[in-house]
Structure formats: C-alpha cells, structure tokens
C-alpha cells in the first residue's frame, strides 16, 4: 500500500505544473529550432535561387562544369578575338557578342547554339591554369522574355548597376553584367578580384 501511495505521489509531482513547465518549455524550444532547420527558407533566399532549368546562372554553372570536364568543347579555338567575333557573325547570332581581348589569354574558344529558340553565344578563355566561361544572350531575351530566367536579386542589381555577383558558390565565382543590349554571365575559378578586374571595361 505504501509503495502505491509513494508511486502515486511521485506521479502526481511529475505531472504537476512545477515539474511540467520546464519540460514543456524545452520541448517548445526544440520544436522551434527543428522547424528553422527543416522548414523552407524565407523569401529572401528565394531572391537568389537559380535552380530552374531555364535559369541563366544555373545553365552557366552547368556549362562551366562541362567545360572543365572536357564534355563541352568549343566549335572553334583561336588566338585572336576578331576570329571569334567573325565566327559568331557567321552563326547569325542576333546580338553583338562581347569578346574581351587580353594578352594573358592562351586562347579563346567559341560555340553558338539555341535554347528553346533563343540564340546563345558561349566563350571560353584559357589563361594559364584558369578557365573562364562566359554565357551571352540578347538582353531583352534574358530580362523580358519568357524562355530564360534570372533570380530576382540579379534582375534588381542589374537594373541598378548593370552588374550582379552571385553570393552562393564557394568553389567558383559567378558574375552577371550587361554590355549595351547583351547580357553576359561569367563563371570561373579565378579569385573574385582578378575576375572582376578582367571583366571590367577597359
């Protein structure tokens, strides 16, 4: 009998508010932390998202990986930028392709294709151990068309400054900018300061 009373007394104390309150509080805190880790991130992260198949940054990153692995090869390689420009003119690319001329480049590679009817230009720069890949498209197709997309943060930055640096990649740097009516997206393992210096207008 005494044992039953003692057990009931222990159970009563355990279920009393004085003992239950700290336990419930800890449980609520635990659930809150779990929800922060499991629930989708807020809209601010959505502004930078570029995982869609038609997203220009996503396509640029995928293409850069293919260039690095050798699966994506330029249609032509040249030592002079005017040869590259001539190649794109013969491919009837419907915008002025921007080709950066630099004496430190070992060679330039070029490839033209279409994505769902939109003409694209791809340029590869080989500079010593560094590879730089640039995706180019008509600005109106990138910002106003329905075929291709860009993150909200990129569109806002491009509208303000003409430049956007993507913050989400540790292994490479991604820069998007406009040159007149052309939009360019560059991906490289070059350090950001060197990459921006190379891309900046001369």
């Amino acid at each position: 009998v005494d044992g039953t009373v003692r057990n009931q007394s222990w159970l009563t104390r355990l279920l009393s508010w004085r003992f239950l309150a700290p336990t419930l509080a800890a449980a609520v805190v635990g659930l809150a932390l779990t929800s922060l880790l499991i629930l989708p991130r807020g809209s601010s992260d959505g502004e930078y998202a570029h995982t869609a198949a038609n997203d220009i940054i996503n396509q640029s990153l995928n293409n850069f990986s293919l260039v690095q692995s050798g699966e994506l090869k330029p249609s032509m390689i040249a030592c002079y930028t005017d040869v590259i420009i001539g190649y794109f003119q013969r491919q009837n690319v419907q915008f002025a392709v921007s080709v950066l001329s630099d004496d430190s480049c070992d060679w330039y590679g070029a490839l033209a294709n279409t994505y769902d009817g939109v003409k694209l230009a791809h340029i590869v720069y080989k500079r010593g151990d560094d590879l730089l890949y640039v995706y180019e498209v008509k600005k109106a197709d990138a910002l106003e068309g329905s075929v291709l997309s860009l993150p909200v943060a990129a569109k806002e930055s491009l509208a303000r400054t003409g430049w956007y640096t993507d913050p989400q990649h540790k292994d490479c740097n991604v820069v998007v900018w406009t040159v007149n009516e052309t939009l360019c997206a560059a991906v490289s393992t070059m350090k950001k300061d060197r990459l921006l210096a190379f891309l900046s207008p001369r």
Side-chain angles (χ1 to χ4, degrees), residues 82-116:
D82 55 348
V83 177
I84 299 297
I85 292 169
Y87 164 81
F88 287 118
Q89 289 171 343
R90 292 191 299 276
Q91 299 301 313
N92 297 317
V93 175
Q94 297 161 352
F95 55 90
V97 177
S98 175
V99 183
L100 300 165
S101 180
D102 191 277
D103 292 338
S104 64
C105 283
D106 302 328
W107 50 259
Y108 308 88
L111 173 68
N113 70 348
T114 60
Y115 177 81
D116 203 5

